[in-house]
Amino acid sequence: MIEIVKVETKREQKRFVNLPLKMYKGNEYFVPPLYADEMKMFKKNYVYNDQCDSIFFNAYLDGKHVGRIQGIIQRASNAKWNEKKVRFTRFDSIDNQEVADALFEAVEKWALENQMESVVGPLGYSDLEREGLLIEGFDELSTFEEQYNYPYYQKLIENLGYVKDVDWVERKLYAPKDLDDKFERLCSIILRRNKLKIVEAKSKKDFIKRYGEKLFKVLDITYNELYGTVPITDNMRKMIISNFKLILNEKYYACIVDEEDNVVCFGICIPSIAKAVQKSNGHLTIPALFRILKAIKKPEVLDMALIGVLPEYRMKGVSSILLYEIMKYLLSGEIKYAETNLNLEDNTAIQNQWKSFDSILHKRRRSFIKHLNVK
């Protein structure tokens, strides 16, 4: 017997968050989110509650917890794109079609009750969350920013009538085999011609204080037309800055400003903490904190977290300066490779940038959509 339970009690909340930790126990590729961050979703003052409505369901088969799913009405996104969509996210299930059917039926019913016309995902509250279903690259370690899933998830979702909406691809970037001083001279010319300079911040604290708000303005403009994006609110900005403070290493970010000290382009790479959080299942125990701090101080892998370029500077080659900075990280010998994280497959501008590196396309993720029978 399958039972779908709406998550309302503390007990059901903990079960909801704990399910993937149990399902992927011992899986060498799964990287959990921070447990405390996941539990924040259920608080009344959660950062996204001012623009989202959410619902959570647990699935039980003969009394055993075997699945979960979350539905989100992202009001800011629907208003921005003039849509009536519900997002699904945090879907996990055993390989049982009836369990998956029951979970999605609950979300689709909720969508119809709220006059929505389609269900799309996996998409979180914003594009700054984990998104996309892994459909290629199951033998690759996830980054901390990604969600891992078993191969059979795709079958469960497609059997319900969901089809491809978009795909993202991910690459490992290695140092280019041939890099002469022409690239460095080109970057110098671009900076001089456009009266720009690379910021040299004294510390993380100084960098965030001087440029934190300016970075997010550039980010909002850069990502404005990309799939699934929503405007960044003050509360979102504060949350992201708070989360990044711990894992930033001042060696691995670059910021380019104009004569008035306005940010025109930036790139932030963060040391990979994937392996550091695996052992503790996302709990910030004292040993976990030591592992994270060690990974931040001496990283072997970098995750490309955020890149922003103002539109008026895109055709001026300014982004080449960021690429050169990343190349220097890789050429230093300290970093094995960099992970691009998710790039839309049809975003030719970003895909073309990686041609300067030796790279491997090693993962693909998909967002699905299903149009509902609205009466």
Side-chain angles (χ1 to χ4, degrees), residues 330-353:
L330 298 174
L331 288 165
S332 69
E334 299 174 2
I335 305 298
K336 292 181 179 179
Y337 61 87
E339 287 260 10
T340 65
N341 279 320
L342 281 69
N343 300 150
L344 287 165
E345 65 173 349
D346 60 357
N347 187 340
T348 54
I350 193 72
Q351 299 297 343
N352 288 335
Q353 287 188 340

Side-chain angles (χ1 to χ4, degrees), residues 175 249-254 267-269 302 322-336 338:
N249 181 325
E250 53 265 30
K251 291 174 63 177
Y252 303 116
Y253 50 77
I268 296 177
C269 294
L302 292 179
L322 289 183
L323 298 183
Y324 183 59
E325 293 298 312
I326 297 170
M327 288 177 188
K328 289 194 291 186
Y329 304 155
L330 298 174
L331 288 165
S332 69
E334 299 174 2
I335 305 298
K336 292 181 179 179

Side-chain angles (χ1 to χ4, degrees), residues 77-192:
S77 175
N78 282 342
K80 174 182 176 180
W81 301 103
N82 192 26
E83 297 170 333
K84 293 184 177 181
K85 290 182 176 178
V86 162
R87 300 177 172 204
F88 78 85
T89 185
R90 292 174 174 86
F91 165 66
D92 286 291
S93 172
I94 61 171
D95 191 2
N96 183 306
Q97 190 64 55
E98 291 182 353
V99 170
D101 290 354
L103 284 166
F104 275 90
E105 181 182 346
V107 169
E108 291 170 12
K109 180 182 177 183
W110 181 68
L112 290 171
E113 288 172 351
N114 285 276
Q115 292 78 51
M116 297 293 107
E117 297 175 350
S118 58
V119 178
V120 64
L123 292 175
Y125 293 98
S126 77
D127 58 298
L128 300 175
E129 277 208 310
R130 296 180 173 200
E131 57 188 354
L133 189 85
L134 187 67
I135 61 172
E136 294 177 13
F138 298 102
D139 57 350
E140 297 281 351
L141 177 68
S142 284
T143 65
F144 175 68
E145 301 81 22
E146 301 170 340
Q147 182 65 29
Y148 184 83
N149 57 263
Y150 290 123
Y152 65 79
Y153 280 37
Q154 182 178 358
K155 171 197 66 177
L156 295 179
I157 293 173
E158 290 180 341
N159 285 346
L160 280 155
Y162 286 79
V163 297
K164 173 184 174 180
D165 202 14
V166 301
D167 274 9
W168 296 271
V169 293
E170 303 171 47
R171 296 176 184 271
K172 286 181 180 178
L173 303 181
Y174 296 89
K177 293 177 182 177
D178 300 309
L179 181 65
D180 55 33
D181 57 3
K182 291 181 181 178
F183 210 113
E184 184 175 6
R185 291 201 301 271
L186 174 63
C187 291
S188 297
I189 291 170
I190 293 170
L191 286 171
R192 186 170 61 253

Side-chain angles (χ1 to χ4, degrees), residues 250-263:
E250 53 265 30
K251 291 174 63 177
Y252 303 116
Y253 50 77
C255 182
I256 302 170
V257 298
D258 63 16
E259 292 180 296
E260 283 75 44
D261 207 34
N262 295 311
V263 176

